[in-house]
Amino acid sequence: QTVTAYNQAVTTDPDNAELHRILGNLYQRRGRLDLALREFNRFFELEEEPAADDKAALEEYERRQRVKAELEKQLEEIRKPFDEALEKIAQDVPEDQRARAKIELAGPAEQNGCVLMALEFLGEDAPETGPTDPSVTLFRAKLKLEAGLLEEAYRELGQLEGLLEQDSGQLAQTAWREHVAFVALVAGEYDRAIDLWTTQAKEFEKGTMLTFL
């Protein structure tokens, strides 16, 4: 929730270097490496280098540059096996199966702290067809929410809501309403958020009771 609050603040004040620095630190503590680097890059775009006679400020600025350089090095190493996998997909996988093969890389990318890379692998649903794989769309929406792409996450979760309400499969039994409710709360739709959380709680209670029967 803290990350989401700062993402909202950045949306309101995108040229505030300090907000980007704080958000970058939050992402780094959570192990979200490429999101941290995104914010640190934006910080350095906005923040001027301190004057040479301001030694304390200059040392802190240079320390932050070293942190960014280390993140870049980490991400370069993480990216290498994924680039190799993409090359193998391009060479060995039939064209009509490549999108699915790339989707399979998204989970490992996310587990390695690369949310933006995972989103790259997941791609987008075609606008004319909407969600074709609800589990993929839900995963993508959760990553977009974490990345601060709130409007996109809200739109995707909204598309999924009607689909999952009518579905009795395994995915429909997951806590997907929590994600929709959280985005609704961010969007100021408080009554809708409460309704979704209430329904989710009832579903959880029902599932717990069935476990003991």
Side-chain angles (χ1 to χ4, degrees), residues 70-186:
E70 181 60 32
L71 267 178
E72 290 172 336
K73 184 178 178 181
Q74 280 183 269
L75 286 165
E76 185 178 345
E77 289 301 311
I78 291 171
R79 180 86 201 197
K80 285 180 181 178
F82 289 100
D83 284 340
E84 292 172 1
L86 288 173
E87 186 175 346
K88 185 173 178 61
I89 288 170
Q91 293 175 349
D92 301 341
V93 177
E95 187 172 354
D96 62 345
Q97 298 175 27
R98 288 175 190 168
R100 171 53 63 177
K102 289 180 182 178
I103 286 172
E104 297 299 324
L105 299 176
E110 185 266 340
Q111 291 166 13
N112 276 276
C114 298
V115 172
L116 297 176
M117 190 193 304
L119 285 170
E120 173 192 336
F121 295 150
L122 288 173
E124 298 287 345
D125 289 323
E128 63 273 12
T129 61
T132 55
D133 186 333
S135 62
V136 170
T137 305
L138 179 59
F139 184 36
R140 183 170 54 236
K142 288 163 62 177
L143 294 181
K144 286 183 175 181
L145 181 61
E146 187 172 9
L149 304 172
L150 303 181
E151 289 187 8
E152 293 183 32
Y154 184 74
R155 184 178 63 251
E156 295 212 47
L157 288 168
Q159 289 177 331
L160 273 180
E161 187 175 357
L163 201 62
L164 293 177
E165 287 283 10
Q166 302 172 26
D167 183 18
S168 59
Q170 184 176 1
L171 181 61
Q173 306 306 315
T174 65
W176 63 269
R177 290 183 185 85
E178 290 183 9
H179 304 292
V180 181
F182 186 70
V183 178
L185 183 65
V186 171

Side-chain angles (χ1 to χ4, degrees), residues 3 55 186 200 206:
V3 168
K55 291 186 179 180
V186 171
Q200 185 66 59
K206 178 182 177 182

Side-chain angles (χ1 to χ4, degrees), residues 48-62:
E48 293 184 6
E49 184 173 346
D53 59 352
D54 190 347
K55 291 186 179 180
L58 186 59
E59 286 178 3
E60 179 61 17
Y61 186 86
E62 291 173 346

Side-chain angles (χ1 to χ4, degrees), residues 27-67:
Y27 278 134
Q28 188 175 24
R29 288 194 208 113
R30 290 166 60 94
R32 307 322 241 173
L33 304 181
D34 56 359
L35 291 175
L37 182 60
R38 180 190 69 181
E39 297 307 318
F40 290 149
N41 281 334
R42 186 62 179 144
F43 168 80
F44 283 108
E45 288 173 6
L46 296 168
E47 185 78 355
E48 293 184 6
E49 184 173 346
D53 59 352
D54 190 347
K55 291 186 179 180
L58 186 59
E59 286 178 3
E60 179 61 17
Y61 186 86
E62 291 173 346
R63 184 192 69 79
R64 291 170 183 166
Q65 284 184 317
R66 291 193 294 273
V67 169

